[in-house]
Amino acid sequence: QVTLRESGPALVKATQTLTLTCSFSGFSLHTNGMCVSWVRQPPGKALEWLTLINWDDEKFYTTSLKTRLSISKDTSKNQVVLTMTNMAPVDTATYYCARIRGPNDAFDVWGPGTMVTVSS
Amino acid sequence: DIQMTQSPSTLSASVGDRVTITCRASQNIYNWLAWYQQKPGKAPKLLIYKASNLESGVPSRFSGSGSGTEFTLTISSLQPDDFTTYYCQQYYIYSWTFGQGTKVEIK
């Protein structure tokens, strides 16, 4: 059974750096084609794709946030880490990680999400 | 960046109705499109991938069609559990974008 779960601080202050961890089981990022992505959703708003890392350690970032985002993986621990610098109140959102089961595929399994509030 | 535009933003319907949601891409994405259902406070759930492929375990009343720049999600007979929000997503050439969502509400 494939599961993912996000963890990290629920509250950060403006200008701080956010670090979130996605811990997963039931698949390996060693497997050809596997990817893990991060998506966020501000309260009452739409989903926004942030970043993705694949089995080959290739990394992709949304253009608007590229300078603030970093993604990395620890394959031995089955974890993917998202870092976002210079947080602001507009970054308040639920942050989800999700699995992509093959190259050019949809996000088939999602974590439950973690709510992050940025205080000014 | 590829932009995705969903319509309508809100749809009012009754149990048993056939409903259609449209998603338009700003450029040709071939059939690299997915549909998700999201209930309040929950993570999105994959319904359709590659424009028309039903994800395992998803009821057959859901169907997807289209290619290029125009796509549709159809629910053939709305059930009480279906009144929630739906998102399209394109995933063409290492680029991923969601639509702004369509809320299906009870008429």
Side-chain angles (χ1 to χ4, degrees), chain A residues 41 49 63 101 104 107 111, chain B residues 1 32 36 38 43 55 87 96:
Chain A
Q41 186 173 38
W49 175 74
T63 303
R101 60 196 166 194
N104 254 26
F107 296 6
Chain B
D1 293 358
W32 302 113
Y36 299 87
Q38 187 181 31
E55 177 70 354
Y87 292 93
W96 298 264

Side-chain angles (χ1 to χ4, degrees), chain B residues 34-35 39 42 53 59-61 63 73 75 84 88 102 105:
Chain B
W35 290 96
K39 296 187 176 180
K42 300 294 186 181
N53 292 272
S60 59
R61 63 181 181 272
S63 63
L73 172 70
I75 309 172
T84 190
C88 64
T102 295
E105 61 179 26

Side-chain angles (χ1 to χ4, degrees), chain B residues 48-101:
Chain B
I48 302 284
Y49 63 96
K50 216 170 176 184
S52 61
N53 292 272
L54 193 67
E55 177 70 354
S56 176
V58 174
S60 59
R61 63 181 181 272
F62 292 93
S63 63
S65 65
S67 66
T69 61
E70 189 151 336
F71 303 86
T72 59
L73 172 70
T74 299
I75 309 172
S76 60
S77 177
L78 265 177
Q79 298 303 300
D81 193 49
D82 301 337
F83 289 93
T84 190
T85 303
Y86 296 85
Y87 292 93
C88 64
Q89 177 208 33
Q90 67 82 19
Y91 50 102
Y92 177 58
I93 307 183
Y94 301 113
S95 162
W96 298 264
T97 321
F98 290 93
Q100 78 274 25

